[in-house]
Amino acid sequence: MFRSVLFLQYAIILAISFVSGVVCFQFFPLDKSMQLIGYIDPRILELTDISKLGTIIPLVAWMVLVLFFATHSYLHVLAKFVVAVKITFFGFSSVFLLTQQESLLVYSVWWFPFQLVYCFLLFVLCSVYSAKKVGPQKKYFFSQRLFVTVLVALSVICAGEIAAISYVLPRFQLH
């Protein structure tokens, strides 16, 4: 029961945040949108010159930020907020990619599937440090098994994204 409620909560946050990003894109002028995207994830602006390090750094930055808040006993609620901000950027940049010429394939092969999985895994990362009631007090536990599982899953997805960028996207892009 608890897991299904948690999944529902994450799905609602995902949907609302993604739609919020889509709506936010409508309020930004294109040059300001490109500037914001350039600060957060410049790969979206220059699809032909994406490095492996350029793929890893944004992912690690989001992971560190989520872990920082998730492992703090008073700030753990902000970890979900950080993931919601990531999803909002996901929606924002998705609209940007879809409004560019010839990027529907790039969006469907690279951006959407990988970012969606990253967002779900970041939600799971929010749960690595959880409270359990032991007697009259709450005790906090760090789930090493869950942390390692999420870390391995993120690494595998990141390797898949690098493969998609390196081998699949060049075949789809029209020059």
Side-chain angles (χ1 to χ4, degrees):
M1 172 75 180
F2 178 71
R3 289 183 188 194
S4 62
V5 170
L6 194 60
F7 180 77
L8 183 63
Q9 178 187 17
Y10 290 162
I12 290 171
I13 292 171
L14 181 94
I16 291 172
S17 297
F18 188 86
V19 170
S20 297
V22 170
V23 170
C24 285
F25 184 82
Q26 304 303 319
F27 293 118
F28 274 72
L30 187 59
D31 61 329
K32 295 294 182 187
S33 297
M34 291 174 72
Q35 190 176 18
L36 177 65
I37 289 170
Y39 289 139
I40 298 176
D41 198 345
R43 300 176 303 165
I44 300 165
L45 298 175
E46 188 58 46
L47 296 172
T48 57
D49 189 30
I50 301 174
S51 68
K52 292 175 185 174
L53 196 57
T55 301
I56 295 169
I57 288 175
L59 175 62
V60 169
W62 286 108
M63 286 172 46
V64 167
L65 202 54
V66 168
L67 272 176
F68 172 76
F69 289 115
T71 57
H72 194 279
S73 58
Y74 295 109
L75 301 175
H76 67 277
V77 174
L78 293 177
K80 292 177 188 170
F81 178 75
V82 169
V83 178
V85 169
K86 162 76 171 135
I87 297 167
T88 303
F89 176 73
F90 172 35
F92 186 89
S93 54
S94 291
V95 175
F96 175 80
L97 277 173
L98 289 173
T99 58
Q100 302 304 305
Q101 293 179 344
E102 302 173 6
S103 60
L104 183 59
L105 287 173
V106 171
Y107 177 75
S108 60
V109 170
W110 166 57
W111 186 252
F112 184 79
F114 288 103
Q115 295 305 313
L116 183 64
V117 172
Y118 285 149
C119 291
F120 278 121
L121 289 175
L122 287 174
F123 271 133
V124 174
L125 196 60
C126 291
S127 304
V128 296
Y129 191 69
S130 59
K132 293 183 182 176
K133 192 155 179 124
V134 178
Q137 302 178 30
K138 279 187 181 178
K139 295 236 178 188
Y140 290 92
F141 298 95
F142 184 80
S143 176
Q144 292 176 346
R145 178 179 288 165
L146 180 61
F147 176 71
V148 170
T149 303
V150 171
L151 198 61
V152 167
L154 284 167
S155 299
V156 168
I157 298 301
C158 187
E161 182 181 18
I162 290 170
I165 290 169
S166 300
Y167 303 110
V168 177
L169 283 185
R171 295 177 191 261
F172 285 117
Q173 291 179 352
L174 302 172
H175 297 286

